[in-house]
Amino acid sequence: MTNSVVKFIRELFKTDGFIPLHAPTFQGNENSYVTETINSTFVSSVGEYVDEFERKLEQFTHAEKAVATVNGTSALHTSLYLAGVSRGDMVITQALTFVATCNVITLMGAEPIFVDVSPVSLGMCPQALDEYLLTSARLTETGCVHLASGERIKAVVPMHTFGHPVDLHALQDVCNKWNLVLIEDAAESLGSFYQGKHTGTIGEFGALSFNGNKIITTGGGGAVLCKHKEAGVRAKHLTTQAKVPHPYEFYHDEAAFNYRMPNINAALGCAQLEQLSGFLANKRSLAAHYQDYFDNTPFKFVKEPGYAKSNYWLNAVICPDIATRNELLKSTNDEGVMTRPVWQLMHRLPMFADADRGELSYSEYLEAHLVNLPSSPVAHFS
């Protein structure tokens, strides 16, 4: 069976060469815009393309304000800072995520708490979140308190796994009930919509990533999506060293960050955004081909939730058992077709081994059974 999977993927991508998991596609104005930036000499944080990139993100996502940053991790860090997370706080997230989600929580001086993911979205499960809080927290006049430690639980950070939106309204209901701030890790979900609204715009803040393996890339880069314009103005101020505008004086009114996206990266991003609708169409077409192929096999293809429209950033299958998963990973990679398992769960990493957590049975199931498939939007898969 695994040999036929390799054959099918090669037929899809029409190549006998190496097939990466997700490679960037440059077929538009990338060279022109980047060259223009170089010729202007404004390659760093001051330049027209940064402003244009932020405007285009706002137009596409309908966020009140988008603030471009140097990467997705810095965007999430800024979001947590703006949400009021501080040293000694606790932040609930999912164990099945990329390590950057938890690294940022630690960078804030806070501690992560892990809850399980949903079989529908592969992202944070609202029921698992509520059940954890009912047994491990209490609501006081000053906020949500962790019973075992007495520390404040300040925020909840779900991640839209592989671009599939979590059930945001259900999570928001739990957050409202427990007086918690909802912050979306939307690093993988540019172009994904929850009940018609773009991911990253329903929580107080959302963090996007434009790393080289994302659906569009700025080389490195990210953005903070803000629900309120005033918060966006503050995010822009914080990410530019809190410098007070002046023709020549250098005055900074608070300790802040150098998280500004360089103009040369934003130029690349503007060209990529012009092609985003085509990338999304191609990726959905590729996902449909994968689904048709795997429907009559022992593998279960991961489909978008019924309440959402996913960008299908990374396609995935759930294998019937661990042995088949291992065989699929080995046979594909041996044949030059890049596949990969899901991330090791965060509580298995040494720096998060002592973090509090709820029951994680489905996260552990996915860790042992899921395989990601090549997902580059290189062409229309007719």
Side-chain angles (χ1 to χ4, degrees), residues 33-223:
Y33 292 173
V34 169
T35 300
E36 179 185 334
T37 306
I38 293 171
N39 290 338
S40 75
T41 74
F42 287 98
V43 296
S44 294
S45 57
V46 177
E48 294 180 358
Y49 278 113
V50 176
D51 294 335
E52 182 179 353
F53 185 61
E54 291 176 342
R55 284 195 299 269
K56 286 184 173 181
L57 283 174
E58 290 164 4
Q59 291 168 1
F60 182 79
T61 64
H62 294 287
E64 281 297 312
K65 179 64 179 174
V67 178
T69 61
V70 70
N71 52 45
T73 305
S74 62
L76 188 54
H77 181 212
T78 303
S79 299
L80 289 168
Y81 187 90
L82 288 165
V85 174
S86 58
R87 184 168 299 279
D89 284 345
M90 305 185 86
V91 175
I92 302 176
T93 189
Q94 54 200 65
L96 188 133
T97 188
F98 182 57
V99 70
T101 310
C102 299
N103 281 342
V104 167
I105 294 170
T106 303
L107 181 64
M108 297 295 303
E111 295 182 34
I113 297 171
F114 302 122
V115 297
D116 210 358
V117 295
S118 161
V120 176
S121 69
L122 310 191
M124 186 182 289
C125 175
Q127 183 177 348
L129 173 63
D130 197 39
E131 288 176 355
Y132 173 83
L133 291 165
L134 285 168
T135 58
S136 303
R138 62 186 173 91
L139 192 59
T140 71
E141 292 182 359
T142 57
C144 183
V145 175
H146 186 245
L147 288 175
S149 66
E151 301 291 353
R152 178 178 70 162
I153 304 176
K154 178 63 180 178
V156 172
V157 183
M159 197 268 287
H160 302 295
T161 308
F162 311 140
H164 299 300
V166 298
D167 190 345
L168 284 162
H169 285 163
L171 285 173
Q172 186 69 78
D173 287 345
V174 177
C175 288
N176 290 341
K177 173 183 172 183
W178 288 91
N179 194 22
L180 299 168
V181 182
L182 179 63
I183 301 166
E184 298 175 57
D185 185 342
E188 303 174 357
S189 64
L190 179 67
S192 295
F193 293 83
Y194 173 83
Q195 296 186 1
K197 292 186 177 181
H198 196 282
T199 53
T201 66
I202 294 174
E204 286 299 305
F205 302 97
L208 298 175
S209 172
F210 310 116
N211 190 35
N213 66 346
K214 295 303 189 292
I215 192 164
I216 71 163
T217 184
T218 58

Side-chain angles (χ1 to χ4, degrees), residues 95 97-100 102-103 114 343-355 357 367:
T97 188
F98 182 57
V99 70
C102 299
N103 281 342
F114 302 122
W343 316 278
Q344 288 194 25
L345 299 182
M346 292 299 100
H347 69 285
R348 302 200 196 281
L349 302 181
M351 57 281 200
F352 304 124
D354 295 330
R357 55 186 182 268
E367 181 187 39

